[in-house]
Amino acid sequence: MKKLSIVVPCYNEEESVTLFFSTVKEVINKINSDRKVIVPEYIFIDDGSSDDTLKEIKKLNKQFPDVVHYQSFSRNFGKESALFSGLEKSTGDYVVVMDVDLQDPPELLSKMLSLIQNSDYDCVGTIQKERLGQSKLRAFLSSSFYKVVNKVSDVYIEPNARDYRIMTRKFVNEVLALPEFNRFSKGIFSWVGFKTTYITYESQPRVAGKTHWSLQQLFAYSIEGIIDFSDVPLKLATWVGSISFILSILGLIFVIVRALTVGGSAAGWPSLVVIILLVGGIQLFCLGILGQYISKIYLETKHRPIYIVREDA
Ligand code: UDP
Ligand code: MG
């Protein structure tokens, strides 16, 4: 009998935990109704919630101590950290990552499970069709992000793929073998390779609570995705620098030749100021790009833990 680990990152989701568990349990029972196909293991990660999320998880753990496990962080470390610790704690032959807000439809589990068991895919992911309630601006930013990241990075990131995915043990072990502190899972899942296929579904509303992503956080997350998997911005800085250098040499030659032939002129202060500002701007822009990479290196070299556990069961 194969074991399925269900990894569930939770941050301030007190209303969703029990509902999530009962819904998924029903789906698993249905999968096992004809013959027992899979043994589930639930791994809830409480990502430093400030509400009663941990209390709800503990209730489930008390009720089903062999099936429900949890880990509670010392503070909020972010979904990426929660996901990583969940994968580390998982022991199943297959591991599925699910949001607790039921936006990742549990009904798909049966299809995902049979795909991964009966084909040679190592990972079955999900793609959400157009997001419910998403503003035009967010949709535009999101599609631009995928365009840019897939143009500049070493890995292909499937547009609109969710973190909802089922993986084989082999796949999970390789994901865990990447020790980086700056974790951009969408990129890591793609970087490790193997064979992945995707199922598409209609987007679902949250059962309770609200999303934790502000536009600003999404923007930072996008920059993270680009910086973590691409050195194109650095190359861009070099290119912009080189081009402005060549242009300035050409300009210098022009000024010298003009001074020697028709004589110099004092006119042109405004254009001079504009050029100084432009070059200064380009320099700062390139320095900023460098700074982004240096800050990532800085964080990596500190070798800080990806998460800190306060309680574990
Ligand atoms: N989450 C988390 N830590 C965080 C933010 C979110 O563990 O710092 C969890 C959250 O509880 C949920 C999942 O990650 O189960 C996805 O979060 P959310 O629903 O806010 O994202 P969205 O579905 O809007 O992309
Ligand atoms: Mg959600």
Side-chain angles (χ1 to χ4, degrees):
M1 182 85 56
K2 299 280 188 191
K3 189 170 176 182
L4 172 69
S5 302
I6 301 163
V7 169
V8 199
C10 312
Y11 178 51
N12 292 343
E13 305 271 13
E14 56 184 7
E15 295 148 276
S16 310
V17 172
T18 321
L19 189 59
F20 170 87
F21 179 73
S22 58
T23 313
V24 175
K25 193 162 160 258
E26 210 161 283
V27 169
I28 300 278
N29 285 346
K30 219 185 222 164
I31 294 174
N32 283 333
S33 60
D34 286 342
R35 67 190 171 87
K36 205 153 169 101
V37 184
I38 203 88
V39 182
E41 165 193 66
Y42 295 81
I43 297 176
F44 288 94
I45 308 295
D46 165 39
D47 185 8
S49 302
S50 52
D51 65 357
D52 282 340
T53 301
L54 182 59
K55 224 182 195 170
E56 295 294 322
I57 297 173
K58 278 180 167 171
K59 262 192 231 161
L60 292 176
N61 168 257
K62 214 169 204 158
Q63 237 177 318
F64 308 95
D66 299 331
V67 186
V68 175
H69 303 280
Y70 67 87
Q71 215 159 42
S72 177
F73 288 175
S74 61
R75 64 167 170 86
N76 178 240
F77 278 85
K79 187 183 175 186
E80 293 288 344
S81 303
L83 215 150
F84 183 73
S85 86
L87 294 185
E88 273 191 326
K89 199 170 160 60
S90 71
T91 58
D93 304 284
Y94 303 105
V95 182
V96 63
V97 179
M98 296 179 84
D99 283 6
V100 72
D101 56 22
L102 290 174
Q103 274 186 311
D104 298 336
E107 312 81 70
L108 289 184
L109 267 180
S110 145
K111 193 171 168 194
M112 291 163 82
L113 200 58
S114 74
L115 249 176
I116 204 157
Q117 282 193 303
N118 305 319
S119 68
D120 67 340
Y121 288 114
D122 306 284
C123 175
V124 179
T126 56
I127 295 173
Q128 189 183 42
K129 283 192 201 157
E130 206 169 313
R131 283 192 95 153
L132 283 177
Q134 192 180 40
S135 70
K136 283 232 159 63
L137 176 68
R138 274 199 186 213
F140 170 75
L141 290 177
S142 153
S143 79
S144 312
F145 162 70
Y146 286 113
K147 270 187 206 139
V148 172
V149 83
N150 284 327
K151 197 130 220 155
V152 303
S153 78
D154 316 334
V155 294
Y156 177 73
I157 295 176
E158 190 69 40
N160 299 325
R162 299 278 302 171
D163 286 336
Y164 184 24
R165 54 175 66 222
I166 189 167
M167 300 162 267
T168 57
R169 174 53 40 193
K170 203 169 16 165
F171 188 100
V172 171
N173 286 346
E174 294 307 329
V175 169
L176 291 174
L178 296 187
E180 58 219 71
F181 178 78
N182 294 290
R183 299 194 78 80
F184 183 71
S185 289
K186 284 186 198 304
I188 290 175
F189 289 142
S190 165
W191 190 89
V192 294
F194 294 101
K195 285 183 108 178
T196 300
T197 184
Y198 288 92
I199 298 177
T200 308
Y201 69 92
E202 297 288 341
S203 61
Q204 310 287 324
R206 263 179 162 270
V207 281
K210 56 179 192 328
T211 178
H212 302 94
W213 292 91
S214 66
L215 208 55
Q216 206 178 347
Q217 280 169 314
L218 278 178
F219 187 69
Y221 182 70
S222 308
I223 299 283
E224 171 104 31
I226 293 169
I227 303 266
D228 284 3
F229 282 89
S230 167
D231 58 1
V232 169
L234 278 177
K235 288 182 182 143
L236 184 78
T238 316
W239 275 107
V240 172
S242 311
I243 290 169
S244 66
F245 176 70
I246 292 169
L247 286 180
S248 68
I249 294 287
L250 290 178
L252 190 68
I253 294 172
F254 171 75
V255 169
I256 292 172
V257 170
R258 196 176 59 167
L260 291 178
T261 51
V262 290
S265 83
W269 278 107
S271 51
L272 198 62
V273 170
V274 168
I275 290 167
I276 289 172
L277 283 179
L278 177 74
V279 174
I282 291 171
Q283 282 177 340
L284 283 179
F285 174 72
C286 296
L287 264 181
I289 293 177
L290 263 181
Q292 290 282 342
Y293 282 88
I294 291 172
S295 84
K296 295 278 170 205
I297 299 170
Y298 178 58
L299 287 174
E300 291 291 343
T301 52
K302 286 189 186 189
H303 296 299
R304 285 195 177 158
I306 294 170
Y307 57 89
I308 294 171
V309 174
R310 190 164 164 269
E311 275 182 61
D312 185 289

